[in-house]
Amino acid sequence: MQPTKTLATMALLALAAAASAQGVETVTPDRARANFARPITLAADDVRAFPAPPTGFADARPGVAAGRVEEFSYASGVTGTRRSASVYLPAGYSAEKRYPVLYLLHGIGGNEHEWRGYVRAPQVLDNLIADGKALPMIVVTPNGRALPDDRSPPADRVFTAEHAAGFAKFERDLLDFLIPGVEAKYPTLGDRRQRALAGLSMGGGQALNFGLAHLDTFAWVGGFSSAPNTKPAAELLADPAAARRQLALLYLSCGNKDGLINVSQGVHRALKTSDIPHVWHVDEHGHDRDSWAENLFHFAQQLFR
Ligand code: FER
């Protein structure tokens, strides 16, 4: 074997060992494809918690004041680079006011623009805030791939172990660099009850893994169509009493046509067994933006009350 190959093989084995030590499965392209194609078995309680949103809920509505989206840049000691996040400031934003913050995480192929471009999160939030159904909030959509090169990789490199590892490394980037940076620049309320963490797919797994491990930082946690990077329930819920005491909201959702639904079903069933209050919302979508836009609509209305 060439030395470089040996090193690369050793690095992969080390990653695989680290992943299985955490109980999180090692991702390979074949495994990921198989995961998306898993047979779906629905239980009696795998149903909607909320009715479908009204038509046009994710479209710009005439007469509704739009928030503004700007770029936020911060130095990360995790990647050793400057990193970018996208920040939504609600209509009527003023530095004289103080706001709660929702950190919203993207999927495995996405970046800090996915929630805005693909899901149309700003329109969902503008409409809810204008209708008085959600409180004005700052929404930060970071790049959750904490690697020196954090661009979305080409399709054939999306499901590699190295790439997936960047999503796990984002935990310290978020807690030690992004949140302090956001709180230094924007007028945030800066308390765990005023901080939420949610995400879609790979970002849903991150939100559950990081949120439930840091209840002193986040009181509101949401996983939408969470991916197999989600830790096993026994690890996620290591301290059920703390979860019961500290969570203001734990929100889980998935589409009933999504081959990854068994991940969320597993978390939901463990939460039920451990008697941890949570929302379990199963809609009729697949692994797609319709589910994520709808779940942002339902989730945002409950935050910071
Ligand atoms: C996997 C299948 C899907 C996986 C991650 C995903 C970590 C993520 C999908 C997405 O973010 O859309 O096996 O393993």
Side-chain angles (χ1 to χ4, degrees), residues 10-204:
M10 281 168 61
L12 274 175
L13 287 174
L15 273 172
S20 61
Q22 274 180 30
V24 178
E25 74 164 39
T26 307
V27 65
T28 64
D30 285 346
R31 179 77 62 83
R33 253 190 304 281
N35 284 340
F36 279 119
R38 279 176 189 162
I40 295 171
T41 310
L42 298 172
D45 67 345
D46 294 341
V47 293
R48 284 183 167 277
F50 310 101
T55 312
F57 76 99
D59 298 327
R61 230 167 58 199
V64 164
R68 128 173 142 245
V69 176
E70 63 181 39
E71 187 189 340
F72 172 72
S73 131
Y74 63 105
S76 167
V78 171
T79 60
T81 56
R82 281 201 81 77
R83 313 199 67 226
S84 285
S86 179
V87 175
Y88 165 90
L89 303 172
Y93 173 82
S94 157
E96 308 306 310
K97 299 181 189 163
R98 291 256 170 278
Y99 297 89
V101 187
L102 164 61
Y103 292 84
L104 202 47
L105 312 179
H106 61 79
I108 198 159
N111 60 24
E112 65 271 34
H113 306 298
E114 183 172 58
W115 274 100
R116 171 159 54 114
Y118 181 52
V119 187
R120 299 203 297 279
Q123 289 85 341
V124 173
L125 294 159
D126 289 344
N127 291 335
L128 285 175
I129 293 170
D131 292 342
K133 289 185 178 162
L135 297 171
M137 63 182 91
I138 294 175
V139 182
V140 179
T141 51
N143 180 315
R145 181 184 294 109
L147 296 172
D149 178 356
D150 63 7
R151 292 172 298 177
S152 304
D156 64 332
R157 303 199 56 83
V158 168
F159 291 102
T160 62
E162 300 94 320
H163 183 227
F167 285 79
K169 289 189 183 129
F170 182 66
E171 180 168 8
R172 294 304 342 160
D173 183 84
L174 171 71
L175 294 166
D176 299 340
F177 300 99
L178 176 62
I179 294 177
V182 165
E183 299 199 345
K185 170 160 182 192
Y186 295 98
T188 61
L189 283 159
D191 173 83
R192 59 181 296 282
R193 289 230 25 135
Q194 309 293 342
R195 226 183 270 118
L197 180 64
L200 68 86
S201 197
M202 201 68 174

